């Protein structure tokens, strides 16, 4: 091939289809979900409803009503009457720590992990484009947020159906709705939970652009999660609490009222969007100006 | 036409390119490098002389502190999206996803290139694997690859598309002699197709064997650049005289401006002066002074002599 032919061959492929840009996102999702670590995290999340379900079953078989008088995660007392409540109980049990920790691990590792293995430089010279790569990383992390939430919900639904009766659902406000509507509400709750994880996903992505060590980024993100959860517990610190990403997390329970209480749900959406905007921009500013030497 | 004017420019041209790392280390100092199109360009220098740093700036991985770098006629890092799809690179050794197979690694790197057609992806990956002799191991997890296999897979990633420029940072690192020879053959083959190859190496005979041009760096500065033949001839050859009358020979040669004279048994060697005297005259002068000359000649300088003359013999890495 002559020099001129080479040049025209290169020019000939310089007009890519816009759809090709999605290749990176697809590859990114595939890479995240083929990691052992991701499978293990999802496995742990799937195991939580199994444990909760078995514990409730054993306790009620002993005669007592489970978690009566406010002990244990929300909705646990209703699980024996309706297996669908295991979905709500399991989401309430995993949202404070297990779910966001899993997201923190995936988000924290997203850029820093590639930097520490050195693959980041090959993605960049491919050239993935820094903004495009960051967007693909963030979207893949959000896909993981959905997958993680759905794993808990699906596992809980399966365990609930096996161990307990299913039927009409009595909402918090006392109204009874059909099982079909209950299922729809469960799906809405899972959506609200997945949305609640956007903030920590953006935070983790930003932390991930700060270091070349995947482990350090994961540890920092999970550390920030724990700190935020602790600060959220102290009444003395109420001034900052509305700005902490976990603050409105349990608002998903408001979806189980008739009519639905939207205030806190919307506050949560707004807060997560704020985190996505602030830390997403920070991650972009950092990553697009960063020297990639690892 | 835009493409034509760009094709006239050198493959790589830097002007006063400088990089000071955040720690304050001046890694590349006012580098003016010109890599002609179609050349196989050897980039030489001792450890820590700034070769990898230069390559990182050329590939847009790090921002120059000052100066400019043009690759394939366009300014880096700004034009990276247009330039980099036409460039294949192996930088500081291969880096792979250990939990993916060799083939899946290549599929991932190809997916990262927005100009790569997904419809031809599998075929191009297989062709690249074939080119580096890795077809049989393509289904193995990269974690289980040997160093040489990783190096080959890294090379395959650089060859996923027809490239105008290949940038290879120590491509034969970790390869067996067979592998090294294959890489040399590969580089020659690519060069004959019109690809410009820019390769850094410590292996001087390797550079001498495949490169048409070379540049030598030391402590961040460019010492020299030119064709390999020019560089080798710029290192002056050494004169060697065999004679039983060594003392007299040293005296005569010194008078004629030969430096750095050493005597080893009956052999006198010395460095010829810059203005090389007619060798026949030198020989005649020895004979006139009554020196019995058994043999007389110059040893041709190799690239290694040139390299050592330029960078010094010392082994220690400059801080
Ligand atoms: N990320 C970094 N931060 C700070 N200094 C660095 C960094 N990378 C390299 N250096 C310094 O820059 C100088 C040039 O390093 P570089 O890696 O470019 O050398 P090199 O010529 O590629 O060496 P080698 O032949 O060993 O690969 C060295 O003094 C090194 O210590
Ligand atoms: Mg190097």
């Amino acid at each position: 091939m002559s020099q001129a032919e080479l040049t025209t061959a290169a020019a000939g492929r310089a007009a890519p289809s816009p759809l090709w840009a999605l290749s990176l996102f697809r590859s990114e999702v595939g890479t995240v979900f083929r990691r052992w670590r991701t499978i293990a995290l999802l496995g742990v999340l799937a195991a939580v409803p199994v444990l909760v379900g078995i514990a409730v079953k054993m306790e009620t078989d002993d005669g007592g009503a489970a978690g009566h008088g406010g002990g244990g995660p929300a909705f646990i007392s209703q699980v024996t009457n309706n297996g669908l409540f295991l979905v709500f109980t399991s989401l309430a049990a995993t949202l404070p720590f297990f779910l966001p920790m899993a997201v923190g691990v995936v988000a924290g590792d997203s850029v820093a992990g590639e930097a520490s293995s050195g693959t980041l430089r090959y993605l960049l010279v491919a050239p993935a484009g820094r903004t495009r790569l960051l967007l693909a990383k963030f979207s893949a992390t959000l896909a993981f947020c959905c997958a993680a939430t759905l794993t808990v919900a699906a596992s809980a639904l399966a365990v609930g159906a096996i161990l307990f009766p299913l039927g009409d659902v009595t909402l918090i406000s006392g109204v009874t709705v059909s099982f079909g509507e209950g299922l729809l509400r469960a799906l809405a709750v899972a959506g609200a939970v997945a949305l609640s994880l956007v903030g920590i996903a953006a935070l983790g992505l930003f932390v991930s652009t700060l270091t070349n060590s995947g482990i350090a980024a994961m540890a920092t993100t999970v550390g920030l999660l724990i700190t935020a959860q602790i600060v959220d517990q102290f009444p003395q610190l109420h001034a900052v609490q509305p700005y902490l990403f976990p603050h409105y997390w349990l608002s998903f329970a408001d979806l189980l009222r008739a009519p639905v209480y939207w205030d806190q749900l919307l506050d949560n959406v707004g807060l997560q969007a704020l985190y996505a905007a602030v830390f997403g921009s920070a991650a972009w500013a950092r990553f697009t100006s960063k020297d990639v030497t690892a | 036409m835009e493409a034509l004017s760009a094709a006239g420019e050198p493959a790589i041209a830097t002007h006063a390119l400088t990089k000071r790392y955040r720690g304050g280390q001046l890694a590349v100092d006012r580098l003016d490098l010109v890599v002609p199109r179609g050349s196989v360009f050897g980039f030489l220098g001792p450890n820590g002389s700034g070769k990898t740093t230069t390559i990182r700036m050329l590939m847009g991985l790090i921002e120059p502190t000052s100066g400019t770098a043009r690759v394939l006629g366009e300014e880096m890092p700004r034009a990276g999206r247009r330039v980099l799809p036409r460039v294949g690179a192996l930088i500081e050794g291969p880096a792979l996803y250990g939990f993916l197979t060799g083939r899946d690694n290549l599929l991932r790197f190809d997916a990262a290139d927005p100009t790569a057609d997904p419809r031809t992806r599998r075929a191009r990956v297989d062709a690249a694997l074939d080119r580096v002799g890795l077809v049989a191991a393509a289904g193995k997890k990269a974690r289980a690859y040997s160093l040489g296999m990783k190096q080959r897979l890294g090379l395959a990633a650089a060859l996923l598309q027809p490239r105008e420029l290949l940038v290879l940072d120590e491509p034969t690192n970790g390869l067996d002699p067979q592998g090294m020879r294959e890489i040399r053959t590969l580089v020659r083959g690519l060069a004959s197709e019109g690809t410009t190859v820019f390769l850094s190496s410590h292996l001087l005979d390797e550079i001498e064997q495949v490169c048409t041009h070379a540049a030598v760096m030391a402590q961040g500065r460019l010492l020299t650049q030119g064709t390999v033949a020019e560089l080798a001839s710029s290192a002056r050859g050494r004169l060697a005289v065999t004679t039983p009358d060594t003392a007299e020979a040293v005296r005569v040669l010194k008078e004629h401006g030969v430096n750095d004279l050493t005597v080893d048994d009956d052999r006198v060697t010395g460095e010829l002066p810059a203005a090389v005297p007619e060798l026949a005259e030198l020989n005649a002068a020895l004979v006139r002074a009554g020196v019995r000359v058994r043999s007389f000649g110059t040893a041709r300088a190799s690239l290694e002599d040139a390299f050592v003359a330029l960078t010094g013999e010392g082994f220690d890495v400059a801080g």
Side-chain angles (χ1 to χ4, degrees):
Chain A
M1 209 190 291
S2 77
Q3 183 70 49
E5 277 174 68
L6 252 181
T7 314
T8 43
R13 60 160 214 265
S17 144
L19 275 182
W20 296 0
L22 287 177
S23 292
L24 180 60
F25 169 67
R26 287 218 312 270
S27 160
E28 192 60 51
V29 171
T31 309
V32 167
F33 285 96
R34 268 190 290 178
R35 265 183 215 276
W36 252 111
R37 194 180 51 222
T38 313
I39 310 288
L41 286 171
L42 292 179
V44 169
L45 288 172
V48 171
V50 179
L51 292 180
V52 174
I54 291 176
V56 170
K57 184 84 182 160
M58 277 165 45
E59 199 179 337
T60 47
D61 283 353
D62 287 351
H68 222 70
F75 315 112
I76 200 158
S77 52
Q78 274 111 310
V79 171
T80 30
N81 301 328
N82 192 337
L84 189 58
F85 273 91
L86 190 60
V87 174
F88 308 133
T89 305
S90 301
L91 287 174
T94 50
L95 185 53
F97 189 70
F98 279 116
L99 270 173
M101 183 210 65
V103 172
V105 165
V106 170
D109 190 55
S110 58
V111 176
E114 301 258 10
S116 55
S117 74
T119 43
L120 182 59
R121 62 175 183 272
Y122 287 109
L123 292 178
L124 291 182
V125 301
R130 297 195 183 204
T131 307
R132 182 167 159 257
L133 182 60
L134 203 62
L135 275 176
K137 292 269 175 205
F138 190 49
S139 327
T141 309
L142 295 185
F144 177 78
C145 293
C146 295
T149 311
L150 286 179
T151 302
V152 175
S155 163
L157 189 60
V159 174
I162 293 170
L163 296 183
F164 307 102
L166 294 178
D168 289 353
V169 179
T170 309
L171 299 177
I172 300 179
S173 39
V175 181
T176 301
V177 298
S178 69
F179 179 71
E181 187 181 337
L183 216 50
L184 272 182
R185 291 207 183 218
L187 200 64
V189 164
V193 168
L195 254 174
S196 299
L197 299 170
V198 170
I200 188 161
L203 188 62
L205 187 72
F206 172 60
V207 171
S208 194
T209 60
L210 296 179
T211 163
N212 285 339
S213 156
I215 304 281
M218 291 186 236
T220 308
T221 311
V222 174
L224 285 172
L225 165 70
I226 296 171
T227 312
Q229 290 282 47
I230 291 173
V231 171
D232 206 25
Q233 301 302 313
F234 284 99
Q236 292 87 343
L237 298 170
H238 64 88
V240 295
Q241 286 171 353
Y243 302 100
L244 296 173
F245 59 90
H247 189 63
Y248 300 109
W249 273 357
L250 293 180
S251 65
F252 75 80
D254 292 346
L255 283 168
L256 299 180
R257 296 175 196 275
V260 172
Y261 287 9
W262 288 105
D263 292 6
Q264 297 232 325
L265 283 165
L266 292 178
D267 282 348
N268 187 32
V269 171
L271 187 62
Q272 302 304 325
L274 182 70
Y275 267 76
V278 170
F279 288 102
S281 317
W284 178 82
R286 166 73 185 155
F287 188 56
T288 49
S289 63
K290 178 183 163 134
D291 273 2
V292 175
T293 55
Chain B
M1 213 173 93
E2 172 93 22
L4 272 182
S5 67
E9 277 200 51
I12 296 172
T14 71
H15 178 64
L17 191 64
T18 304
K19 179 67 188 182
R20 190 182 284 282
Y21 281 109
R22 264 202 309 185
Q25 173 82 40
L26 186 61
V28 173
D29 188 8
R30 281 167 286 138
L31 178 68
D32 292 304
L33 193 67
V34 178
V35 177
R37 290 249 180 187
S39 62
V40 179
F41 197 100
F43 196 40
L44 292 165
N47 291 131
S49 55
K51 303 181 297 293
T52 301
T53 304
T54 306
I55 289 174
R56 284 181 187 143
M57 285 191 278
L58 293 174
M59 299 292 98
L61 291 174
I62 62 178
E63 190 89 23
T65 308
S66 62
T68 58
R70 294 178 74 79
V71 177
L72 298 175
E74 298 202 64
E75 182 132 350
M76 286 298 291
R78 229 188 29 218
R81 291 184 59 136
R82 283 192 302 279
V83 172
L84 291 176
R86 294 139 68 197
V87 180
L90 186 66
I91 307 158
E92 269 207 312
L96 306 167
Y97 300 89
F99 60 98
L100 296 182
T101 64
R103 178 177 279 110
D104 286 345
N105 268 281
L106 293 185
L107 289 171
R108 168 139 173 89
F109 289 128
D110 196 63
D113 179 355
T115 70
D117 188 344
R119 289 163 299 186
T120 60
R121 182 160 293 148
R122 294 223 154 245
R124 284 182 293 109
V125 164
D126 285 336
L129 284 166
D130 186 44
R131 196 140 200 195
V132 298
L134 218 51
V135 173
K140 225 163 130 171
K141 293 256 191 287
R143 166 184 336 108
Y145 275 19
S146 71
L147 177 58
M149 287 159 83
K150 287 181 184 157
Q151 190 80 2
R152 285 167 191 248
L153 196 65
L155 266 168
L159 299 174
L160 285 168
Q161 305 243 27
R163 310 284 193 189
E164 287 172 62
L165 172 66
L166 269 185
V167 175
L168 307 175
D169 193 6
E170 295 175 32
T172 55
N173 204 1
L175 291 182
D176 50 26
Q178 180 70 25
M180 287 196 193
R181 229 186 29 223
E182 282 168 24
I183 297 302
R184 283 200 293 271
T185 314
L186 188 69
V187 165
R188 286 201 195 96
L190 289 162
S192 70
E193 288 169 15
T195 306
T196 309
V197 183
F198 181 80
L199 76 124
S200 87
S201 181
H202 304 290
L203 302 174
L204 293 156
D205 54 338
E206 175 177 294
I207 297 256
E208 205 160 16
Q209 281 182 51
V210 296
C211 293
T212 58
H213 294 67
V216 181
M217 297 274 292
Q219 296 178 46
R221 294 217 186 80
L222 182 68
L223 297 179
T224 181
Q225 63 181 324
T227 66
V228 167
E230 273 167 21
L231 285 182
S233 67
S234 73
R236 284 168 235 134
R238 281 181 78 83
L239 178 71
V241 180
T242 319
T243 169
D245 313 315
T246 49
E248 185 65 8
V250 166
R251 191 188 60 77
V252 174
L253 290 174
K254 203 172 236 162
E255 269 174 18
H256 285 80
V258 180
N259 296 314
D260 189 25
L261 283 158
T262 54
V263 181
D264 181 19
D265 274 339
D266 60 349
R267 215 172 119 86
V268 180
T269 61
E271 194 180 311
L272 287 166
V276 183
E278 175 57 50
L279 288 178
E281 286 298 322
L282 209 54
N283 195 7
L286 284 169
V287 174
R288 267 201 305 279
V291 176
R292 291 164 293 168
V293 177
R294 282 202 195 113
S295 76
F296 181 95
T298 56
R300 191 186 76 88
S302 69
L303 195 59
E304 184 163 344
D305 295 320
F307 183 76
V308 170
L310 284 164
T311 60
E313 301 257 9
F315 174 72
D316 289 342
V317 173

